Amino acid sequence: MAPIRDRSLTGSHPDLHGHGLRLRPWDAGSGADVDTWLRGMRDPDFRHWNTPLRPVTDRASAREALLARASSALEGTSVSFRIADARTDTALGHIGVNEIRYHLKVARVGYWVLPEARGQGVATRALLLTARWALTQLGLHRLELDHAVGHDASCRIAERCGFSYEGTLRGAVFQEGRHDAFRDAHLHARLATDPEPEPAGPDGRNTGM
């Protein structure tokens, strides 16, 4: 792997390793990272369930998005990781700890997986790894996860990773492709005091389930 050229382009958090994955900060100075981010943001399935406030439509806007995330990491308001296979370093997706409020010890987590990596438990394994880090090394007490109602796969991933369903948030997220209409979201959360979920198997399912 090439050395990091500028910490301002990546943020300052360490790599995370476990469950067959390597999570490292995105590098806005890497053309490969920019291309991966653009591909993830333009994926039809991602766009069906997520409507970013600032659309990413080309390499320039993808790089700007990664620079903004690196800046947020340096400010301590979020942490964004590139998910990769631990053995090959093949990019698999993204996971981020967002809206960090240290005074309340709470944050929100979000993720996406590239189309070719789906069905392999990537999101489950990445969420288990990231949640444990956030609830221990970052010192958070509560980690929240929300998703548009109807996204059943996200419900299952949340439950496997110990994020209990807490209810429906009315009109909490944008409608698909719109910033002037809203849809409901399910809220899940995991506390630092909750039992640690069972380790994930190769398919991402908990071995004890």
Side-chain angles (χ1 to χ4, degrees):
M1 175 186 173
I4 293 174
R5 298 181 295 280
D6 185 343
R7 297 300 294 182
S8 68
L9 300 181
T10 63
S12 58
H13 289 279
D15 292 6
L16 306 182
H17 300 266
H19 305 304
L21 301 175
R22 178 197 177 200
L23 276 54
R24 65 153 172 85
W26 289 91
D27 182 358
S30 163
D33 277 19
V34 170
D35 288 341
T36 299
W37 187 265
L38 177 60
R39 196 154 62 88
M41 292 293 99
R42 295 178 68 179
D43 174 64
D45 189 68
F46 171 86
R47 295 174 66 175
H48 177 66
W49 296 113
N50 304 274
T51 304
L53 187 59
R54 294 182 178 85
V56 173
T57 58
D58 53 25
R59 296 187 84 250
S61 56
R63 186 173 188 275
E64 285 300 315
L66 292 185
L67 284 170
R69 287 182 172 271
S71 177
S72 294
L74 291 171
E75 293 168 358
T77 57
S78 72
V79 186
S80 299
F81 292 107
R82 169 186 178 268
I83 306 170
D85 181 271
R87 183 176 58 84
T88 65
D89 199 41
T90 300
L92 304 173
H94 157 79
I95 190 163
V97 181
N98 310 308
E99 301 176 37
I100 301 173
R101 292 175 285 168
Y102 284 106
H103 60 293
L104 293 175
K105 296 188 176 182
V106 63
R108 289 207 169 194
V109 65
Y111 52 83
W112 49 261
V113 176
L114 292 170
E116 66 270 20
R118 292 172 190 156
Q120 302 171 36
V122 171
T124 298
R125 291 182 283 141
L127 183 55
L128 285 169
L129 183 59
T130 303
R132 183 173 186 181
W133 175 76
L135 295 171
T136 56
Q137 298 303 307
L138 286 188
L140 299 180
H141 172 67
R142 177 179 169 88
L143 198 57
E144 298 178 346
L145 183 159
D146 67 66
H147 60 81
V149 170
H151 197 344
D152 296 337
S154 277
C155 264
R156 293 191 294 270
I157 291 165
E159 291 168 357
R160 288 173 191 158
C161 296
F163 285 73
S164 299
Y165 171 68
E166 295 189 342
T168 300
L169 303 171
R170 296 180 301 149
V173 295
F174 289 130
Q175 288 279 5
E176 179 183 355
R178 299 180 61 180
H179 290 153
D180 61 347
F182 301 86
R183 51 185 165 179
D184 296 347
H186 282 169
L187 175 65
H188 300 256
R190 178 172 156 188
L191 305 181
T193 52
D194 287 340
E196 183 78 15
E198 293 288 337
D203 62 354
R205 297 182 183 276
N206 303 102
T207 56
M209 294 177 65

